[in-house]
């Protein structure tokens, strides 16, 4: 089942008459399967927020169409009833208190007062924001605003959650809490789509990833696949060699300070190397898997011309 | 309609908690002080001066509040991304903008009420009396401020705050001055120019139609048919701009 199809979307911005039009998205297509947790990656200006704005109908594409799962509804209002959206760096009505703002958002989502209260009790406690509900939003810190924003995003129990840079501006504890909340929502069966330029966050929580570069799609698929694809699994072995010159035994070897050495061996050669080390009384200090992280892979893609 | 009322309700709540209402109280105080000072400098007709200054300041103050609130209505929502929080819910753009406008109109109504009560109180204090014409003038004054409010919101859909405010102020000035211009001998001697200026009110807002202050000051009666036609003109113009705002906002990229 597909929750969202982003079909051949092109978006060109014409800033003024003199400047050249700027192509923010060029024939981008991807899908978000139902029940998946999809990370949306790309450097600043890659087109992530533009794509999200098109999905949310804030701006219109010059070409292409957006298709939502028919289960969400037939028209925009029905579909948006089942979507939870959190914009990037949200800033709310400063005069309203946290509680008033939550009631405002809840009533727009057709929730009754008891439903809003139940949701507020559940998420307010979880995000440690209940104590501040009577305070005006202008007194909230950046992290608190992000948390109350997330609270209103999930207030109406949406099936499809779209988050634009949800973890930016949060301290490590806040990031962990929000990531845990996103994971638990995903485990409840929600489809989650969130953009970030922080790759480890995506690698940690997402099962799929979409990567944009300069308005073009570079990758759309499983995180596991991109981590495994085309990678020869290597191991890094660090060891001490006293009175022995190990250079003759290993092809890819490097001298570190003291008697410490480092060699990189392919997986298939790992056992042979360890045997050699033990036979020649060389002490093993550490063995590490030399697998590339998602960040390293995307940094490589980004820097490729 | 329910969503429109919810949005307007919270718009009012947010405004009432902000410092904007202090501006109205400051303007009301200004009306009191200016009227008091002005009557001190006149001889024999303090009640006329009180109503003249009162209505003049009331008109200017409500126009200023309208332009101030209207020019930032959408830009503030977009810059702070609060608009995204609302229209990402099952709320149409028409409901959103109608709710915001209704909220603003009701706040403007409250501002106007405070300033009107101040003006009437000052008139009564200086020996003036209430008559139907004063209330008709107040109604037209409110209509004028609504028209300015809707105009500035309309222009803010395509321009920044400075440009939308400038265009609105220019339209108010021209809209008030066009009738006087029509009576200049320079215009009267040029029938094609006269014809052209006569068409002005069909396209652009003729604010002079909403100005009854002179009738009140000189206690002149005014024909009911003029009151009716000018009221309908103002209401029709407001409705047209309101529909224009909804139409453009529906098409606009909210970026």
């Amino acid at each position: 089942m597909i929750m969202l199809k982003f079909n051949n979307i092109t978006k060109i911005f014409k800033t003024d008459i003199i400047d050249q039009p700027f192509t923010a998205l060029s024939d981008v297509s991807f899908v978000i399967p139902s029940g998946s947790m999809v990370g949306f990656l790309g450097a600043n200006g890659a087109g992530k927020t533009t794509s999200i704005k098109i999905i949310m109908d804030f701006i219109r594409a010059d070409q292409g169409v957006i298709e939502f799962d028919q289960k969400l509804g037939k028209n925009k209002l029905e579909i948006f009833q089942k979507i939870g959206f959190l914009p990037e760096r949200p800033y709310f009505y400063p005069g309203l208190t946290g509680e008033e703002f939550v009631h405002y958002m809840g009533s727009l989502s057709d929730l009754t007062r008891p439903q809003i209260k139940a949701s507020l009790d559940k998420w307010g406690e979880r995000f440690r924001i209940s104590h501040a509900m009577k305070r005006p939003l202008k007194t909230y810190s950046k992290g608190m605003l992000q948390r109350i924003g997330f609270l209103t995003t999930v207030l109406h129990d949406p099936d499809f959650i779209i988050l634009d840079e949800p973890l930016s501006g949060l301290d490590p504890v806040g990031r962990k809490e929000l990531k845990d909340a996103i994971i638990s929502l995903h485990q409840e069966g929600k489809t989650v789509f969130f953009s970030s330029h922080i790759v480890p966050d995506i690698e940690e929580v997402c099962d799929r990833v979409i990567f944009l570069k300069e308005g073009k799609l570079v990758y759309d698929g499983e995180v596991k696949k991109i981590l495994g694809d085309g990678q020869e699994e290597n191991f890094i072995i660090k060891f001490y060699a006293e009175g022995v010159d190990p250079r003759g035994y290993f092809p890819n070897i490097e001298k570190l300070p003291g008697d410490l050495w480092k060699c990189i061996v392919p997986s298939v050669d790992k056992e042979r190397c360890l045997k050699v080390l033990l036979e020649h009384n060389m002490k093993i200090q550490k063995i590490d898997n030399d697998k590339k992280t998602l960040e390293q892979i995307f940094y490589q893609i980004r820097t490729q011309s | 309609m329910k969503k429109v009322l919810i949005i307007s309700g919270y718009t009012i709540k947010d405004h009432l908690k902000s410092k904007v209402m202090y501006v109205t109280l400051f303007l009301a105080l200004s009306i009191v002080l200016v009227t008091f000072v002005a009557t001190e400098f006149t001889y024999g007709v303090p009640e006329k001066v009180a109503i003249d200054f009162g209505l003049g300041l009331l008109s200017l103050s409500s126009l200023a509040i309208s332009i101030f609130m209207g020019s930032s209505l959408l830009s503030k929502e977009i810059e702070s991304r609060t608009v995204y929080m609302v229209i990402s819910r099952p709320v149409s753009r028409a409901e959103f903008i109608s709710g915001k406008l209704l909220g603003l109109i009701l706040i403007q109504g409250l501002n106007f009420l405070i300033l009107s009560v101040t003006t009437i109180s000052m008139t009564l204090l200086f020996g003036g009396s209430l008559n139907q014409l004063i209330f008709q003038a107040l109604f037209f004054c409110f209509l004028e401020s609504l028209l300015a409010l809707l105009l500035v919101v309309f222009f803010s859909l395509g321009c920044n705050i400075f440009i939308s405010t400038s265009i609105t102020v220019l339209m108010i000035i021209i809209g008030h001055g066009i009738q006087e211009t029509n009576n200049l001998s320079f215009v009267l001697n040029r029938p094609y120019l006269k014809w052209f200026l006569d068409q002005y009110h069909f396209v652009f807002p003729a604010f002079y139609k909403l100005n009854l202050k002179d009738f009140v000051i000189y206690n002149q009666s005014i024909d009911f048919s003029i009151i009716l036609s000018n009221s309908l003109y103002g209401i029709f113009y407001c409705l047209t701009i309101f529909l224009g705002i909804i139409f453009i906002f529906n098409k606009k990229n909210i970026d």
Side-chain angles (χ1 to χ4, degrees), chain A residues 53 57-58 60 100 152, chain B residues 17 89 93 250 254-255:
Chain A
K53 283 180 179 171
D57 196 37
F58 301 150
R60 271 97 196 209
E100 282 169 343
T152 57
Chain B
K17 287 184 178 185
R89 296 186 181 261
R93 288 188 181 199
N250 266 330
I254 303 174
D255 200 13

Side-chain angles (χ1 to χ4, degrees), chain A residues 135-206:
Chain A
R135 272 167 45 190
L137 290 169
K138 64 184 165 200
T139 65
Y140 278 35
S141 69
K142 200 175 171 188
M144 286 166 85
L145 285 174
Q146 195 75 0
R147 280 183 277 165
I148 200 163
F150 188 76
L151 190 154
T152 57
T153 304
V154 296
L155 191 69
H156 53 295
D157 194 27
D159 292 335
F160 185 21
I161 299 165
I162 300 172
L163 311 163
D164 194 3
E165 303 280 359
L167 303 170
S168 68
L170 291 177
D171 59 27
V173 178
R175 288 166 75 88
K176 170 88 173 61
E177 281 171 355
L178 203 61
K179 269 191 269 186
D180 288 347
I182 294 170
I183 291 167
S184 77
L185 284 166
H186 178 232
Q187 283 166 349
E188 283 172 26
K190 315 284 185 203
T191 307
V192 183
F193 177 56
F194 80 92
S195 77
S196 179
H197 55 265
I198 304 164
V199 187
D201 288 338
I202 302 266
E203 187 177 355
E204 193 182 332
V205 298
C206 294

Side-chain angles (χ1 to χ4, degrees), chain B residues 8 18 23 41 43 66 75-76 98 124 142 145 153 157 209 212-213 218-219 223 230 233 250:
Chain B
S8 66
S18 70
V23 176
F41 287 98
Y43 181 73
S66 285
S75 61
K76 223 167 74 178
S98 305
L124 293 175
F142 183 61
S145 71
V153 172
L157 287 167
K209 284 179 183 281
L212 298 189
K213 287 188 277 293
Y218 302 113
N219 214 7
D223 196 60
N230 287 8
Y233 175 82
N250 266 330

Side-chain angles (χ1 to χ4, degrees), chain B residues 157-185:
Chain B
L157 287 167
C159 315
N160 62 32
I161 291 180
F162 177 73
I163 296 176
S164 55
T165 303
S166 305
I167 298 173
T168 308
V169 170
L170 201 67
M171 295 210 98
I172 292 170
I173 294 168
I174 297 172
H176 275 292
I178 194 78
Q179 193 185 26
E180 302 298 325
T181 313
N182 254 341
N183 295 330
L184 293 174
S185 58

Side-chain angles (χ1 to χ4, degrees), chain B residues 4 25 29 43-44 52 54 56 69 88-90 109 116 141 144-145 149 159-160 176 180 185 192 194 204 228 232:
Chain B
V4 173
L25 296 176
L29 187 68
Y43 181 73
D52 188 9
M69 290 195 308
S88 61
R89 296 186 181 261
S116 301
C141 214
E144 181 189 35
S145 71
L149 176 76
C159 315
N160 62 32
H176 275 292
E180 302 298 325
S185 58
Y192 59 91
K194 171 106 179 85
F204 300 106
L228 186 67
L232 287 175

Side-chain angles (χ1 to χ4, degrees), chain A residues 39-242:
Chain A
F40 198 24
L41 275 174
N44 290 333
K48 301 188 299 290
T49 299
T50 302
S51 304
I52 290 177
K53 283 180 179 171
I54 291 172
I55 293 170
M56 296 308 298
D57 196 37
F58 301 150
I59 59 176
R60 271 97 196 209
D62 295 309
Q63 276 172 34
V65 284
I66 303 285
E67 287 174 52
F68 287 95
D69 183 355
Q70 293 209 325
K71 268 200 324 196
L72 289 182
K74 291 184 187 74
N75 56 49
K76 189 186 153 188
L77 295 186
E78 278 179 22
I79 291 168
F80 278 29
Q81 183 79 48
K82 291 181 181 137
I83 290 181
F85 170 69
L86 179 67
E88 186 185 1
R89 295 192 304 275
Y91 183 79
F92 309 110
Y93 300 98
L96 299 183
T97 64
E99 197 173 69
E100 282 169 343
F101 180 66
V102 171
H103 274 94
Y104 181 22
M105 292 296 119
S107 50
L108 289 178
S109 294
D110 299 321
L111 298 184
T112 60
R113 288 189 83 83
Q115 283 173 321
I116 296 170
K117 194 182 174 307
S119 203
L120 194 55
D121 289 345
K122 178 185 168 190
W123 292 103
E125 284 300 320
R126 184 160 182 176
F127 287 127
R128 294 178 292 111
I129 196 119
S130 300
H131 67 283
M133 279 297 160
K134 303 278 182 202
R135 272 167 45 190
L137 290 169
K138 64 184 165 200
T139 65
Y140 278 35
S141 69
K142 200 175 171 188
M144 286 166 85
L145 285 174
Q146 195 75 0
R147 280 183 277 165
I148 200 163
F150 188 76
L151 190 154
T152 57
T153 304
V154 296
L155 191 69
H156 53 295
D157 194 27
D159 292 335
F160 185 21
I161 299 165
I162 300 172
L163 311 163
D164 194 3
E165 303 280 359
L167 303 170
S168 68
L170 291 177
D171 59 27
V173 178
R175 288 166 75 88
K176 170 88 173 61
E177 281 171 355
L178 203 61
K179 269 191 269 186
D180 288 347
I182 294 170
I183 291 167
S184 77
L185 284 166
H186 178 232
Q187 283 166 349
E188 283 172 26
K190 315 284 185 203
T191 307
V192 183
F193 177 56
F194 80 92
S195 77
S196 179
H197 55 265
I198 304 164
V199 187
D201 288 338
I202 302 266
E203 187 177 355
E204 193 182 332
V205 298
C206 294
D207 45 38
R208 288 182 72 84
V209 64
I210 294 163
F211 184 60
L212 289 186
K213 185 187 169 190
E214 291 164 9
K216 291 184 180 137
L217 184 78
V218 176
Y219 182 77
D220 172 18
E222 290 177 21
V223 174
K224 270 192 286 187
K225 203 175 165 196
I226 195 167
L227 288 175
D229 257 4
Q231 278 200 64
E232 188 183 313
E233 203 176 357
N234 288 330
F235 284 86
I236 301 170
I237 305 173
K238 287 183 184 170
F239 58 92
Y240 293 100
E242 286 175 38

Side-chain angles (χ1 to χ4, degrees), chain B residues 17 20 29 45 67 80 83 90 97 129-130 141 148-149 159 165 169 176 198 202-203 231 239 249 251:
Chain B
K17 287 184 178 185
V20 177
L29 187 68
V45 282
I67 293 170
S80 62
V83 62
I97 194 74
S129 59
L130 291 181
C141 214
L149 176 76
C159 315
T165 303
V169 170
H176 275 292
D198 279 342
F202 289 119
V203 184
S231 306
L239 280 175
F249 191 69
K251 303 270 174 206

